mmCIF file of all heavy atoms in Angstrom:
data_model
loop_
_atom_site.group_PDB
_atom_site.id
_atom_site.type_symbol
_atom_site.label_atom_id
_atom_site.label_comp_id
_atom_site.label_asym_id
_atom_site.label_seq_id
_atom_site.Cartn_x
_atom_site.Cartn_y
_atom_site.Cartn_z
ATOM 1 N N SER A 452 181.665 -62.036 33.668
ATOM 2 C CA SER A 452 181.706 -60.583 33.773
ATOM 3 C C SER A 452 183.141 -60.063 33.626
ATOM 4 O O SER A 452 183.393 -59.063 32.953
ATOM 5 C CB SER A 452 181.029 -60.146 35.083
ATOM 6 O OG SER A 452 181.809 -59.225 35.770
ATOM 7 N N GLU A 455 183.963 -60.258 29.998
ATOM 8 C CA GLU A 455 183.308 -59.172 29.261
ATOM 9 C C GLU A 455 184.148 -57.904 29.325
ATOM 10 O O GLU A 455 184.378 -57.226 28.306
ATOM 11 C CB GLU A 455 181.902 -58.893 29.831
ATOM 12 C CG GLU A 455 180.795 -59.739 29.254
ATOM 13 C CD GLU A 455 180.744 -59.759 27.736
ATOM 14 O OE1 GLU A 455 180.720 -58.678 27.123
ATOM 15 O OE2 GLU A 455 180.783 -60.870 27.152
ATOM 16 N N ASP A 456 184.594 -57.564 30.536
ATOM 17 C CA ASP A 456 185.441 -56.380 30.697
ATOM 18 C C ASP A 456 186.702 -56.504 29.843
ATOM 19 O O ASP A 456 187.153 -55.522 29.242
ATOM 20 C CB ASP A 456 185.864 -56.218 32.171
ATOM 21 C CG ASP A 456 184.690 -55.871 33.055
ATOM 22 O OD1 ASP A 456 183.624 -55.501 32.524
ATOM 23 O OD2 ASP A 456 184.835 -55.980 34.294
ATOM 24 N N ASN A 459 185.967 -55.746 26.469
ATOM 25 C CA ASN A 459 185.760 -54.299 26.304
ATOM 26 C C ASN A 459 187.063 -53.511 26.469
ATOM 27 O O ASN A 459 187.026 -52.292 26.519
ATOM 28 C CB ASN A 459 184.732 -53.802 27.318
ATOM 29 C CG ASN A 459 183.320 -54.072 26.827
ATOM 30 O OD1 ASN A 459 183.129 -54.690 25.789
ATOM 31 N ND2 ASN A 459 182.339 -53.593 27.575
HETATM 32 C C1 NAG B 4 181.016 -53.751 26.921
HETATM 33 O O1 NAG B 4 180.804 -52.965 25.779
HETATM 34 C C2 NAG B 4 179.520 -53.149 25.189
HETATM 35 C C3 NAG B 4 179.477 -52.367 23.890
HETATM 36 O O2 NAG B 4 180.225 -51.200 23.980
HETATM 37 C C4 NAG B 4 178.440 -52.714 26.171
HETATM 38 O O3 NAG B 4 177.168 -52.946 25.638
HETATM 39 C C5 NAG B 4 178.596 -53.535 27.441
HETATM 40 O O4 NAG B 4 177.679 -53.123 28.424
HETATM 41 C C6 NAG B 4 180.010 -53.447 28.000
HETATM 42 N N1 NAG B 4 180.113 -54.363 29.084
HETATM 43 C C7 NAG B 4 180.658 -54.064 30.238
HETATM 44 C C8 NAG B 4 180.690 -55.164 31.249
HETATM 45 O O5 NAG B 4 181.141 -52.981 30.481
#
Side-chain angles (χ1 to χ4, degrees):
S452 133
E455 273 309 307
D456 292 346
N459 279 4

